Amino acid sequence: MTHGYTTGTGTSPEPAGPYGTPHAGSAGAAPETPYTLPQQREAEPAPAPAAKKPGRDRYLDLLRSIALVRVVVYHLFGWAWLSVLFPSMGVMFALAGSLMARSLKRPAWSVIRGRVRRLLPPMWAFAAVVLVLLFAGGWDPGEDPDQGGGAWGLIKLFNYLVPIGAPPYPWEAGAPLDWLEGSWADQAVGPLWYLRAYLWFVIASPLLLWLFRKAPWPTLLAPLGLTAIVGTGLVTIPGETGNAVTDFAVYGSCWILGFAHHEGMLKQIPRYVSVSCASLVMAFGLWWASNHLGSEGWDLNDIPLAQATWSFGFVVILLQYSPSWQELPGRLAKWDKLVTLSNNRAVTIYLWHNLLIMATVPIIDLAYQLPFMQSERAMGALDSAYTIWMFALVWPLIGLMVLAVGWVEDLAAKRKPRLWPNGSKSKRPQPSSGARRG
């Protein structure tokens, strides 16, 4: 699917909760709503499973972290095949859907309000920087014909406060800073379409979950059918409205798969059945893509029906094999702190990573001025490895941004601000037994 920019998909803006919150979608949890699949009766009641310690499902946290890394790599290198290797958007929408279903045990309005509150402040921090740069570069939305001009161009700025639509920006933005090229606004603001889609899914979730519990299969598969209508050109909806409807259709089934995971529906289906059916759906997606390749080749982001079906099947398999880890096992344990950090700062990483990718360029260009870099051989070596250096440099910049503005996510979630929430417990000296309290 094309949104007018060449960057890839994104990650979920679902802020990770505190790591003392139990995950209701973990294995062993009984589904809230019975389904019509036949169940064998037991002569004696099964023994109750041992109580699990409170904690997050680290398998789902790991998937979210992988999706974030994949997004950064895709936006940096532009490799189309990454959309096939790991469909980050589908995965992230499914994880967010599962968390949303868990939260909807509480009153719907309070859940929606809480999700919106956790999303908006980090976006406002990002939007403030972007708008300052745009206005400093001479952009006037009231005079921009691409935004409708006049009052309508100014009204569209509301989407920087609440992303119900696409935030406006000029295709060729002025560059108040030397390292910003003309397309910087498209690169930085373009991916915010994901926040718009996420917001609409959150608002629609109470109705979607009600429909899912009444009619699981029609609700689960309906978005795929809608994608076949609006994502193939059979019915064309112009403008950003069309983009929003297409996004909702393409990733709707993945969001509802999150419901199915939380409700325990997937565990009631024999694994060989679900994996076989998912593989057939994925095979259809690849076949459709092979006959509808765009200018970027196998980039499923430009082929809505292929993206929808491939992501759907991929997510089914990931959730069907979900091991529900309380701790990362084996060699994965060494990544525990980074997984925790990325989940606690998912919104910050997603919002800022594209702008930070562009910020690596002027930093690397400084190397050309070094005395030992003046030969053609040295410059050629740097030219050939330029993108690799960008990849190596963007991660420290993301870390600095986490320190600088990541704490806004904590304020949005009504938590105590933390600079580096990677799960490490600060060691405080314990008072001796005879110490007095002051």
Side-chain angles (χ1 to χ4, degrees):
M1 162 179 42
T2 301
H3 292 273
Y5 50 89
T6 58
T7 54
T9 60
T11 82
S12 168
E14 177 72 15
Y19 273 76
T21 305
H23 191 285
S26 56
E32 297 177 4
T33 305
Y35 293 90
T36 57
L37 295 177
Q39 301 292 326
Q40 183 177 358
R41 295 193 175 204
E42 298 182 4
E44 298 180 1
K52 295 175 62 177
K53 296 180 180 179
R56 289 183 60 96
D57 190 325
R58 301 300 277 164
Y59 174 72
L60 301 185
D61 288 343
L62 179 64
L63 291 181
R64 186 179 291 106
S65 298
I66 293 173
L68 282 169
V69 172
R70 204 283 282 163
V71 167
V72 176
V73 173
Y74 175 88
H75 286 180
L76 180 58
F77 292 97
W79 293 330
W81 51 267
L82 285 174
S83 64
V84 178
L85 178 66
F86 193 88
S88 287
M89 286 295 298
V91 172
M92 296 309 301
F93 276 124
L95 300 182
S98 180
L99 291 175
M100 191 67 187
R102 182 193 70 183
S103 298
L104 283 173
K105 294 178 180 179
R106 308 193 305 271
W109 171 244
S110 67
V111 174
I112 294 174
R113 183 177 57 190
R115 284 289 185 271
V116 173
R117 186 193 68 238
R118 298 169 87 178
L119 175 67
L120 295 186
M123 179 180 173
W124 293 340
F126 175 78
V129 173
V130 169
L131 288 176
V132 166
L133 293 176
L134 286 174
F135 294 149
W139 179 57
D140 184 352
E143 300 294 332
D144 189 345
D146 293 332
Q147 306 303 329
W152 183 243
L154 296 174
I155 291 173
K156 284 187 175 181
L157 291 176
F158 178 76
N159 289 303
Y160 281 102
L161 297 177
V162 182
I164 57 176
Y169 57 88
W171 290 106
E172 287 294 328
L177 301 177
D178 292 339
W179 55 272
L180 291 176
E181 59 183 35
S183 64
W184 73 266
D186 185 42
Q187 297 293 321
V189 181
L192 295 187
W193 71 270
Y194 176 67
L195 274 67
R196 174 192 63 196
Y198 172 82
L199 179 62
W200 283 113
F201 275 124
V202 166
I203 294 173
S205 281
L207 175 60
L208 290 176
L209 185 57
W210 181 82
L211 290 172
F212 175 76
R213 288 171 173 168
K214 293 292 184 181
W217 290 108
T219 306
L220 181 62
L221 300 177
L224 295 179
L226 181 60
T227 304
I229 296 174
V230 301
T232 61
L234 186 62
V235 172
T236 301
I237 303 175
E240 283 299 326
T241 301
N243 288 335
V245 172
T246 302
D247 294 338
F248 197 90
V250 168
Y251 299 108
S253 287
C254 290
W255 185 273
I256 298 170
L257 274 175
F259 294 172
H261 174 260
H262 174 266
E263 301 279 286
M265 175 183 173
L266 294 179
K267 296 300 182 183
Q268 298 185 29
I269 305 173
R271 182 172 290 175
Y272 74 91
V273 174
S274 61
V275 173
S276 299
C277 293
S279 299
L280 290 175
V281 173
M282 294 168 71
F284 170 81
L286 292 182
W287 171 80
W288 182 268
S290 68
N291 290 281
H292 297 82
L293 298 179
S295 59
E296 300 297 328
W298 284 86
D299 194 333
L300 300 187
N301 298 300
D302 298 331
I303 315 171
L305 185 58
Q307 177 74 286
T309 50
W310 178 261
S311 297
F312 178 84
F314 197 95
V315 169
V316 166
I317 294 174
L318 285 180
L319 295 183
Q320 182 65 274
Y321 281 89
S322 175
S324 187
W325 295 324
Q326 288 186 322
E327 297 179 356
L328 294 178
R331 295 181 179 180
L332 291 175
K334 65 182 180 181
W335 301 100
D336 183 81
K337 291 183 179 180
L338 287 177
V339 169
T340 301
L341 178 66
S342 62
N343 276 265
N344 280 321
R345 293 294 180 259
V347 180
T348 299
I349 294 171
Y350 179 76
L351 283 171
W352 292 92
H353 76 275
N354 247 19
L355 195 59
L356 296 176
I357 287 175
M358 288 183 285
T360 64
V361 174
I363 298 175
I364 297 174
D365 284 349
L366 294 175
Y368 288 103
Q369 302 177 17
L370 297 174
F372 57 85
M373 290 295 299
Q374 302 309 307
S375 66
E376 288 189 14
R377 183 176 181 179
M379 290 186 178
L382 182 56
D383 288 342
S384 62
Y386 201 98
T387 309
I388 301 298
W389 283 108
M390 292 175 67
F391 176 77
L393 187 57
V394 73
W395 300 108
L397 294 180
I398 289 175
L400 290 175
M401 192 57 63
V402 165
L403 290 171
V405 299
W407 51 268
V408 176
E409 291 194 51
D410 292 326
L411 293 181
K414 295 186 176 181
R415 294 193 297 260
K416 182 179 179 181
R418 299 164 294 172
L419 289 179
W420 197 255
N422 64 352
S424 296
K425 296 181 180 179
S426 59
K427 296 182 179 180
R428 298 180 179 178
Q430 297 296 326
S432 61
S433 58
R436 294 184 179 180
R437 296 193 179 188

Tab-separated table of all heavy atoms in Angstrom, residues 262-287:
chain	number	residue	atom	x	y	z
A	262	HIS	N	-6.181	-13.556	22.752
A	262	HIS	CA	-6.532	-13.275	24.149
A	262	HIS	C	-7.688	-14.137	24.625
A	262	HIS	O	-7.688	-14.630	25.757
A	262	HIS	CB	-6.903	-11.799	24.315
A	262	HIS	CG	-7.399	-11.465	25.682
A	262	HIS	ND1	-8.745	-11.467	25.994
A	262	HIS	CD2	-6.735	-11.154	26.829
A	262	HIS	CE1	-8.886	-11.160	27.275
A	262	HIS	NE2	-7.695	-10.959	27.797
A	263	GLU	N	-8.684	-14.350	23.766
A	263	GLU	CA	-9.871	-15.111	24.152
A	263	GLU	C	-9.620	-16.604	24.183
A	263	GLU	O	-10.472	-17.368	24.635
A	263	GLU	CB	-11.012	-14.803	23.183
A	263	GLU	CG	-11.399	-13.339	23.132
A	263	GLU	CD	-12.306	-12.935	24.274
A	263	GLU	OE1	-13.490	-13.296	24.252
A	263	GLU	OE2	-11.806	-12.261	25.200
A	264	GLY	N	-8.470	-17.063	23.673
A	264	GLY	CA	-8.166	-18.488	23.665
A	264	GLY	C	-8.727	-19.242	22.487
A	264	GLY	O	-8.680	-20.473	22.443
A	265	MET	N	-9.249	-18.534	21.498
A	265	MET	CA	-9.862	-19.204	20.350
A	265	MET	C	-8.833	-20.004	19.554
A	265	MET	O	-9.108	-21.126	19.104
A	265	MET	CB	-10.529	-18.160	19.447
A	265	MET	CG	-11.097	-18.712	18.161
A	265	MET	SD	-11.791	-17.392	17.127
A	265	MET	CE	-12.184	-18.307	15.639
A	266	LEU	N	-7.642	-19.456	19.384
A	266	LEU	CA	-6.642	-20.139	18.564
A	266	LEU	C	-6.230	-21.465	19.182
A	266	LEU	O	-5.903	-22.422	18.462
A	266	LEU	CB	-5.417	-19.235	18.376
A	266	LEU	CG	-5.636	-17.960	17.566
A	266	LEU	CD1	-4.346	-17.153	17.477
A	266	LEU	CD2	-6.142	-18.283	16.170
A	267	LYS	N	-6.215	-21.530	20.518
A	267	LYS	CA	-5.793	-22.761	21.176
A	267	LYS	C	-6.823	-23.876	21.029
A	267	LYS	O	-6.507	-25.046	21.266
A	267	LYS	CB	-5.553	-22.479	22.667
A	267	LYS	CG	-4.412	-21.511	22.935
A	267	LYS	CD	-3.098	-22.032	22.392
A	267	LYS	CE	-1.953	-21.070	22.709
A	267	LYS	NZ	-0.673	-21.533	22.131
A	268	GLN	N	-8.051	-23.541	20.647
A	268	GLN	CA	-9.083	-24.552	20.454
A	268	GLN	C	-9.028	-25.192	19.075
A	268	GLN	O	-9.719	-26.166	18.815
A	268	GLN	CB	-10.471	-23.933	20.671
A	268	GLN	CG	-10.685	-23.399	22.075
A	268	GLN	CD	-12.103	-22.909	22.281
A	268	GLN	OE1	-13.033	-23.415	21.651
A	268	GLN	NE2	-12.290	-21.935	23.138
A	269	ILE	N	-8.222	-24.621	18.195
A	269	ILE	CA	-8.101	-25.151	16.838
A	269	ILE	C	-6.866	-26.035	16.771
A	269	ILE	O	-5.785	-25.623	17.205
A	269	ILE	CB	-7.980	-24.003	15.815
A	269	ILE	CG1	-9.167	-23.039	15.964
A	269	ILE	CG2	-7.909	-24.544	14.402
A	269	ILE	CD1	-9.032	-21.800	15.113
A	270	PRO	N	-6.978	-27.261	16.258
A	270	PRO	CA	-5.780	-28.105	16.118
A	270	PRO	C	-4.681	-27.368	15.357
A	270	PRO	O	-4.943	-26.719	14.344
A	270	PRO	CB	-6.292	-29.318	15.345
A	270	PRO	CG	-7.766	-29.368	15.663
A	270	PRO	CD	-8.194	-27.941	15.809
A	271	ARG	N	-3.475	-27.499	15.850
A	271	ARG	CA	-2.379	-26.727	15.274
A	271	ARG	C	-2.171	-27.023	13.802
A	271	ARG	O	-1.931	-26.114	13.001
A	271	ARG	CB	-1.096	-27.002	16.071
A	271	ARG	CG	0.102	-26.205	15.593
A	271	ARG	CD	1.278	-26.377	16.535
A	271	ARG	NE	1.034	-25.719	17.812
A	271	ARG	CZ	1.861	-25.791	18.850
A	271	ARG	NH1	2.956	-26.527	18.762
A	271	ARG	NH2	1.579	-25.161	19.982
A	272	TYR	N	-2.289	-28.313	13.429
A	272	TYR	CA	-2.046	-28.642	12.027
A	272	TYR	C	-3.090	-28.008	11.112
A	272	TYR	O	-2.810	-27.660	9.962
A	272	TYR	CB	-2.005	-30.164	11.840
A	272	TYR	CG	-3.353	-30.855	11.919
A	272	TYR	CD1	-4.124	-31.067	10.771
A	272	TYR	CD2	-3.860	-31.298	13.134
A	272	TYR	CE1	-5.354	-31.699	10.835
A	272	TYR	CE2	-5.087	-31.921	13.214
A	272	TYR	CZ	-5.826	-32.122	12.063
A	272	TYR	OH	-7.051	-32.738	12.125
A	273	VAL	N	-4.310	-27.812	11.647
A	273	VAL	CA	-5.363	-27.183	10.849
A	273	VAL	C	-5.064	-25.706	10.652
A	273	VAL	O	-5.105	-25.186	9.524
A	273	VAL	CB	-6.742	-27.376	11.515
A	273	VAL	CG1	-7.809	-26.585	10.766
A	273	VAL	CG2	-7.112	-28.844	11.564
A	274	SER	N	-4.768	-25.017	11.748
A	274	SER	CA	-4.535	-23.578	11.643
A	274	SER	C	-3.281	-23.268	10.832
A	274	SER	O	-3.280	-22.335	10.012
A	274	SER	CB	-4.422	-22.967	13.038
A	274	SER	OG	-3.338	-23.514	13.755
A	275	VAL	N	-2.213	-24.037	11.024
A	275	VAL	CA	-0.985	-23.777	10.280
A	275	VAL	C	-1.177	-24.086	8.796
A	275	VAL	O	-0.694	-23.347	7.924
A	275	VAL	CB	0.180	-24.601	10.865
A	275	VAL	CG1	1.427	-24.481	9.984
A	275	VAL	CG2	0.501	-24.120	12.281
A	276	SER	N	-1.895	-25.154	8.490
A	276	SER	CA	-2.135	-25.504	7.083
A	276	SER	C	-2.969	-24.422	6.388
A	276	SER	O	-2.641	-23.985	5.273
A	276	SER	CB	-2.837	-26.859	6.988
A	276	SER	OG	-2.047	-27.882	7.536
A	277	CYS	N	-4.030	-23.984	7.059
A	277	CYS	CA	-4.869	-22.939	6.456
A	277	CYS	C	-4.106	-21.628	6.338
A	277	CYS	O	-4.222	-20.917	5.319
A	277	CYS	CB	-6.134	-22.745	7.288
A	277	CYS	SG	-7.270	-24.152	7.271
A	278	ALA	N	-3.314	-21.298	7.364
A	278	ALA	CA	-2.530	-20.066	7.298
A	278	ALA	C	-1.529	-20.118	6.159
A	278	ALA	O	-1.307	-19.113	5.462
A	278	ALA	CB	-1.814	-19.836	8.624
A	279	SER	N	-0.926	-21.272	5.933
A	279	SER	CA	0.048	-21.409	4.843
A	279	SER	C	-0.610	-21.216	3.492
A	279	SER	O	-0.023	-20.611	2.575
A	279	SER	CB	0.725	-22.782	4.923
A	279	SER	OG	1.420	-22.942	6.145
A	280	LEU	N	-1.834	-21.707	3.352
A	280	LEU	CA	-2.548	-21.520	2.086
A	280	LEU	C	-2.868	-20.046	1.856
A	280	LEU	O	-2.745	-19.539	0.730
A	280	LEU	CB	-3.837	-22.350	2.099
A	280	LEU	CG	-3.675	-23.870	2.022
A	280	LEU	CD1	-5.026	-24.568	2.166
A	280	LEU	CD2	-3.001	-24.274	0.708
A	281	VAL	N	-3.283	-19.351	2.919
A	281	VAL	CA	-3.570	-17.918	2.800
A	281	VAL	C	-2.297	-17.156	2.435
A	281	VAL	O	-2.322	-16.247	1.583
A	281	VAL	CB	-4.182	-17.388	4.106
A	281	VAL	CG1	-4.332	-15.866	4.053
A	281	VAL	CG2	-5.538	-18.031	4.367
A	282	MET	N	-1.176	-17.504	3.055
A	282	MET	CA	0.096	-16.850	2.743
A	282	MET	C	0.524	-17.138	1.310
A	282	MET	O	1.048	-16.254	0.616
A	282	MET	CB	1.171	-17.307	3.719
A	282	MET	CG	0.919	-16.873	5.160
A	282	MET	SD	2.006	-17.691	6.339
A	282	MET	CE	3.575	-16.888	5.928
A	283	ALA	N	0.310	-18.377	0.864
A	283	ALA	CA	0.658	-18.724	-0.517
A	283	ALA	C	-0.160	-17.896	-1.504
A	283	ALA	O	0.359	-17.432	-2.533
A	283	ALA	CB	0.431	-20.214	-0.756
A	284	PHE	N	-1.440	-17.697	-1.191
A	284	PHE	CA	-2.261	-16.826	-2.038
A	284	PHE	C	-1.693	-15.415	-2.060
A	284	PHE	O	-1.656	-14.769	-3.118
A	284	PHE	CB	-3.706	-16.809	-1.544
A	284	PHE	CG	-4.543	-15.757	-2.212
A	284	PHE	CD1	-5.089	-15.985	-3.466
A	284	PHE	CD2	-4.769	-14.526	-1.596
A	284	PHE	CE1	-5.854	-15.015	-4.106
A	284	PHE	CE2	-5.535	-13.553	-2.221
A	284	PHE	CZ	-6.074	-13.796	-3.474
A	285	GLY	N	-1.270	-14.917	-0.898
A	285	GLY	CA	-0.708	-13.575	-0.840
A	285	GLY	C	0.519	-13.427	-1.724
A	285	GLY	O	0.672	-12.421	-2.432
A	286	LEU	N	1.403	-14.419	-1.693
A	286	LEU	CA	2.592	-14.350	-2.549
A	286	LEU	C	2.211	-14.458	-4.021
A	286	LEU	O	2.816	-13.788	-4.876
A	286	LEU	CB	3.565	-15.468	-2.162
A	286	LEU	CG	4.234	-15.341	-0.789
A	286	LEU	CD1	5.203	-16.500	-0.580
A	286	LEU	CD2	4.963	-14.008	-0.656
A	287	TRP	N	1.243	-15.317	-4.324
A	287	TRP	CA	0.807	-15.429	-5.722
A	287	TRP	C	0.222	-14.112	-6.211
A	287	TRP	O	0.530	-13.663	-7.320
A	287	TRP	CB	-0.238	-16.541	-5.836
A	287	TRP	CG	-0.887	-16.586	-7.190
A	287	TRP	CD1	-0.383	-17.147	-8.327
A	287	TRP	CD2	-2.153	-16.011	-7.543
A	287	TRP	NE1	-1.262	-16.966	-9.377
A	287	TRP	CE2	-2.355	-16.268	-8.926
A	287	TRP	CE3	-3.131	-15.322	-6.841
A	287	TRP	CZ2	-3.496	-15.856	-9.602
A	287	TRP	CZ3	-4.264	-14.905	-7.508
A	287	TRP	CH2	-4.449	-15.169	-8.871
